[in-house]
């Protein structure tokens, strides 16, 4: 297996097999390498990444765009991974399911060690990437649009807006509260985010009495970091 830290025993003889070929390089390899550095809490340096891949900086930039674009892509990939883990095993239907998934997702994001390491180094860059229209918002909106549409298709949800418009609104609300501590607040405001999203979804609930409280939480945490 590649990456093994255990060398073969004994010096290589004249009949030793040739060294394995360098792993294929390309945009996917560059993204995988950058993601690995991110998950280890390491900075992503374009010169070091190009050297690791065995290519020049110009080639790397041609593959992935600027460093900022690469970081946006890495964070979008981490967003999808975390969202899929958050949605795994969630019971219920309709607004209750959506709120539980969002609750688990947001708590996983704010607790993620790699994200904490990145935001400690480059908080302003993170906020720009995470809260402005772009790769991360687009990926999160796509995921939530699919989640909402599944509930609509099963008859558990009736939305008064185009599904993608509602998903984008929920993503922007979640971001503004989830990252409140980077925007001048004292801490993430996840409960407040869920309360606002519940107000958006409440008109879609035909069985909810006026003033209905927040749904009970799933209670299970998730371990995959963003």
């Amino acid at each position: 297996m590649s990456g093994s830290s255990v060398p073969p025993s004994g010096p290589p003889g004249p009949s030793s097999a040739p060294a394995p070929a360098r792993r294929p390089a390309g945009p996917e390899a560059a993204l995988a390498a950058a993601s690995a550095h991110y998950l280890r809490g390491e900075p992503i340096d374009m010169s070091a990444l190009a050297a690791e891949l065995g290519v020049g900086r110009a080639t790397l930039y041609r593959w992935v765009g600027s460093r900022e674009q690469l970081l946006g892509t890495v964070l979008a990939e981490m967003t999808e991974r975390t969202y899929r883990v958050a949605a795994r095993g969630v019971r219920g239907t309709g607004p209750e399911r959506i709120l539980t998934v969002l609750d688990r997702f947001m708590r996983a994001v704010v607790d993620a060690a790699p994200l904490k390491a990145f935001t400690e180094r480059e908080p302003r860059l993170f906020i720009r990437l995470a809260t402005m229209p772009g790769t991360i918002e687009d990926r999160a909106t796509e995921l939530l649009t699919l989640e909402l549409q599944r509930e609509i298709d099963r008859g558990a949800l009736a939305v008064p807006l185009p599904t993608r418009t509602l998903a984008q609104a929920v993503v922007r609300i979640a971001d503004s509260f989830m990252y409140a501590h980077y925007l001048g607040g004292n801490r993430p405001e996840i409960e407040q985010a869920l309360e606002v999203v519940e107000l958006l979804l409440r008109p879609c609930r035909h069985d909810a009495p006026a003033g209905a409280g927040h749904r009970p939480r799933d209670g299970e945490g998730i371990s995959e970091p963003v």
Side-chain angles (χ1 to χ4, degrees), residues 23 26-38 49 52 70 74 81:
R23 64 179 177 178
E28 291 183 2
L31 177 58
S35 298
H37 285 290
Y38 170 82
L49 187 60
E52 178 181 337
L70 175 58
V74 168
R81 290 189 198 183

Side-chain angles (χ1 to χ4, degrees), residues 36-198:
H37 285 290
Y38 170 82
L39 288 171
R40 291 195 296 266
E42 301 167 354
I44 295 175
D45 178 270
M46 298 298 274
S47 295
L49 187 60
E52 178 181 337
L53 295 166
V55 299
R57 281 170 55 93
T59 298
L60 178 60
Y61 279 101
R62 188 171 67 250
W63 285 345
V64 301
S66 67
R67 178 176 183 269
E68 189 166 312
Q69 288 174 309
L70 175 58
L71 284 166
T73 303
V74 168
L75 290 171
E77 290 291 312
M78 298 301 126
T79 295
E80 180 165 352
R81 290 189 198 183
T82 304
Y83 189 92
R84 293 195 183 283
V85 175
R88 191 181 301 158
V90 173
R91 297 177 293 276
T93 60
E96 289 78 10
R97 174 181 169 81
I98 301 300
L99 290 165
T100 299
V101 172
L102 286 173
D103 188 347
R104 297 180 69 185
F105 171 77
M106 288 191 288
R107 294 183 192 281
V109 169
V110 299
D111 289 339
L115 186 61
K116 289 178 180 178
F118 177 47
T119 54
E120 285 175 4
R121 288 193 306 269
E122 302 181 77
R124 292 183 181 178
L125 175 58
F126 170 71
I127 285 298
R128 186 164 70 250
L129 290 171
T131 63
M132 293 181 66
T135 306
I136 303 170
E137 182 185 284
D138 288 346
R139 184 74 61 90
T141 298
E142 289 168 9
L143 291 164
L144 189 54
T145 298
L146 291 173
E147 195 77 51
L148 291 167
Q149 191 61 51
R150 277 193 290 267
E151 298 308 305
I152 292 168
D153 292 344
R154 71 170 66 173
L157 192 66
V159 299
L161 297 170
T163 311
R164 183 177 175 84
T165 300
L166 178 59
Q168 187 178 50
V170 170
V171 167
R172 291 182 175 180
I173 289 167
D175 285 347
S176 65
F177 284 97
M178 183 166 50
Y179 303 131
H181 52 314
Y182 299 127
L183 297 168
N186 294 323
R187 57 182 176 79
E189 299 172 347
I190 291 175
E191 288 297 334
Q192 290 91 327
L194 294 169
E195 289 169 3
V196 174
V197 173
E198 187 174 23

